Amino acid sequence: MGEHLLANYAEVVAVILFGIGFTNLLLQKNMIKKIIGLNIMDTAVYLFLAEKGYIAGHIPPLIVGENFNPDTYINPVPSGLVLTGIVVSVSVTALMLSLTIRLYRRYHTLDLDEISMRLKKEGL
Amino acid sequence: MELIRNFPCLSIFMAMLSAIISSALKGNGARRLNTFVVTAVGVMSACVLYLTCTTGESYVYKMGHFPAPIGNEIRFGSLEAGMALFFCVIMLFSLNGGRKKIQIEIDPGKENLYYIMVDLLLSSLLALVYTNDLFTAYVFVEINTIAACGLIMIMESGRAIEAATRYMIMSLLGSGLFLIGLCMLYDMTGHLLMSYIQISVREIAESGTYMIPLLVTIALIVVGLAIKSALFPFHAWLPDAYGYSTVSSAAMLSSLVSKGYIFLLIKIIYRVIGFDIFVNSKIINVLFVFGLAGMIMGSMSAIRENDIRRMISYSSVAQIGYIYMGFGLGTTVGMVASVFHILSHAATKSLLFVSGVGLTDVSGEKTQFIELTGAAYRNVAAGLAFTVGSLSMVGIPLFSGFISKLLFSQAAVQSNIKMLPTLIALAVSTVLNAIYFMKTVIRIYTPIESKYPSVSIKKNRLYAFTLLCFVMLNVALGMCSQPITDWITQGLSVFA
């Protein structure tokens, strides 16, 4: 068990980071901290993918001249997935930030629970 | 026939393109374009349904230049095509039913933005239905979430923005779990195309080497999608999101967005993991228990609610519980019942939302029950339609809700240990449904001298016509259930 954890330390770090991000997104009251949690969570997934795509001793998948041997390259698909994931995560973060700005302008606080309390009091 | 095979790909692109064009159009133009696109996609899906039903096969359509193990694919059989057609029909009806409210509640300058979101929602739903690639599914899940968030917050009231924020947070938690799950699955199998993943998953299951990681992966994916489709303990965002958005949004969110995720889950169960491996994992018992809990707790919350919109929303929690309970039974009959309930619930819930808004309109825009007294006399069409929807939800014969309850009970009888809890939960849930829906129907048919003016059908013909279409769809699902269950069974058989 222990030696498996040490041998795959990057995956272990990725999963721990994912947990940290997930709990932050779920439990923080402050919107900005929630968004930071979201970004940690997404980045942990990219770390996991990047680690999985890397094959020790292989070179980047670039074709130079006539030399083409697929066995010497690392797996390029996870890198593509990471890029796509980053695009998705950027757009979602932008949307969350814009929602936060809307809420802050209206209620002058970033605390989501307090906003809910105030909405309930208003009875709207 | 060769031409029809291009239609699924074409319909996704058409919906996406119309969203881009709509950003340059004014509100009216965007509305017309949206109606045209939804109708056209519906017609194309009907053609695909005709093709797949006559041949009884499923087709693979290559996207891009790379062949199968590396490239991207679309795959469609009769179930996918029928679902796409059904989604288009419900979307068209929901938009038509809430058209007046959209014009009133949304700033004139922002109307085209609303239709952009609707177009994007349609394209992402179609992609979720048709795609054969797991990562493409993830990307379109996110597009679906963003479009749904836009539909909720378009009203720009404080409540709507808060509801949208809470919806986004829960959705992002769900998609995070789904993403890490599919990355682990890719790590174990080395494939992203669903059919190829299944071959590798079978090898893993047979050799028995990576059983715990496989179980964790299945759990992550299923829980992620369950959070997004508001299964019972994760439903806290739902009543606000449905209750404070414009009526078309609420109808589409409850009957299309959550159903899109559930359809993706069915696809993952059959095509990625394999039905037998999924049944043998312990996950289905968890789904079963949460489904049962959702059926009871959703109805309990609905009974306590004093707001008609929020009551209908809580009823959705109970109905989603039914669907997951059907998954939890772990039989093909249970799956057929769940797929039928997806159709039945989508048709009924959007009818209830659209007719509910007709009732609140003639009660001074108030949603509390006390104000709704006698509303069915002030708006006859909405009152009748709401009654039909309520009867269907309770499970009266002739309407679609009866058939889904019948199918669930038949499926329950076929399983040993799960029979008794399922039947008890069905009975209790039916009684609870009857309590809150009949309470509302009696309330709206209580004659009273009202201070609010009444509305005649002639004043809003489009609304009345939409309600009639909804009612007919509901009765059709209830009366012609045999061909529909045959179609679902056939579709599921070519699904894997």
Side-chain angles (χ1 to χ4, degrees), chain A residues 26 52 75 92 102 106 116, chain B residues 156 162 166 172 186-187:
Chain A
L26 185 65
K52 280 298 162 195
N75 183 0
V92 173
R102 285 283 167 93
R106 221 172 259 254
S116 304
Chain B
E156 289 205 75
E162 194 244 6
R166 287 201 180 273
L172 290 175
Y186 174 67
D187 170 33

Side-chain angles (χ1 to χ4, degrees), chain B residues 241-267:
Chain B
Y242 293 3
Y244 301 112
S245 48
T246 184
V247 57
S248 299
S249 307
M252 283 190 286
L253 282 167
S254 67
S255 49
L256 302 181
V257 175
S258 55
K259 302 300 179 297
Y261 300 137
I262 293 175
F263 191 80
L264 179 64
L265 182 58
I266 297 177
K267 201 176 202 166

Side-chain angles (χ1 to χ4, degrees), chain A:
Chain A
M1 188 76 193
E3 66 265 34
H4 286 311
L5 286 181
L6 270 181
N8 297 315
Y9 66 94
E11 285 86 345
V12 175
V13 170
V15 170
I16 291 173
L17 276 177
F18 183 88
I20 293 172
F22 188 85
T23 31
N24 265 306
L25 178 58
L26 185 65
L27 299 177
Q28 287 286 355
K29 284 178 185 168
N30 188 306
M31 282 299 294
I32 299 292
K33 288 183 186 170
K34 267 188 194 293
I35 296 169
I36 292 172
L38 164 72
N39 281 305
I40 294 175
M41 185 174 88
D42 282 347
T43 318
V45 178
Y46 308 146
L47 175 63
F48 184 84
L49 273 175
E51 169 62 26
K52 280 298 162 195
Y54 181 71
I55 306 166
H58 288 207
I59 55 168
L62 300 168
I63 300 171
V64 183
E66 297 291 304
N67 301 328
F68 177 69
N69 182 10
D71 294 333
T72 58
Y73 295 139
I74 63 163
N75 183 0
V77 177
S79 321
L81 299 187
V82 169
L83 279 179
T84 319
I86 288 174
V87 172
V88 171
S89 138
V90 163
S91 36
V92 173
T93 311
L95 182 61
M96 283 293 278
L97 284 170
S98 75
L99 280 168
T100 311
I101 294 171
R102 285 283 167 93
L103 283 174
Y104 187 77
R105 277 197 191 141
R106 221 172 259 254
Y107 300 101
H108 302 289
T109 174
L110 288 170
D111 188 334
L112 198 58
D113 288 353
E114 200 186 317
I115 294 170
S116 304
M117 293 269 284
R118 229 185 276 178
L119 278 167
K120 264 192 196 133
K121 254 186 213 163
E122 284 172 22
L124 284 169

Side-chain angles (χ1 to χ4, degrees), chain B residues 97-98 101 105 247 309 352-362 463:
Chain B
K101 288 303 249 189
E105 289 176 341
V247 57
R309 285 282 290 276
L352 281 171
F353 271 118
V354 172
S355 60
V357 84
L359 295 175
T360 51
D361 270 355
V362 290
Y463 179 72

Side-chain angles (χ1 to χ4, degrees), chain B residues 284-307:
Chain B
I284 63 159
N285 298 331
V286 180
L287 284 185
F288 182 70
V289 171
F290 281 132
L292 291 187
M295 283 161 69
I296 309 290
M297 299 309 289
S299 300
M300 295 289 241
S301 312
I303 289 177
R304 280 203 300 272
E305 202 49 66
N306 189 29
D307 175 318

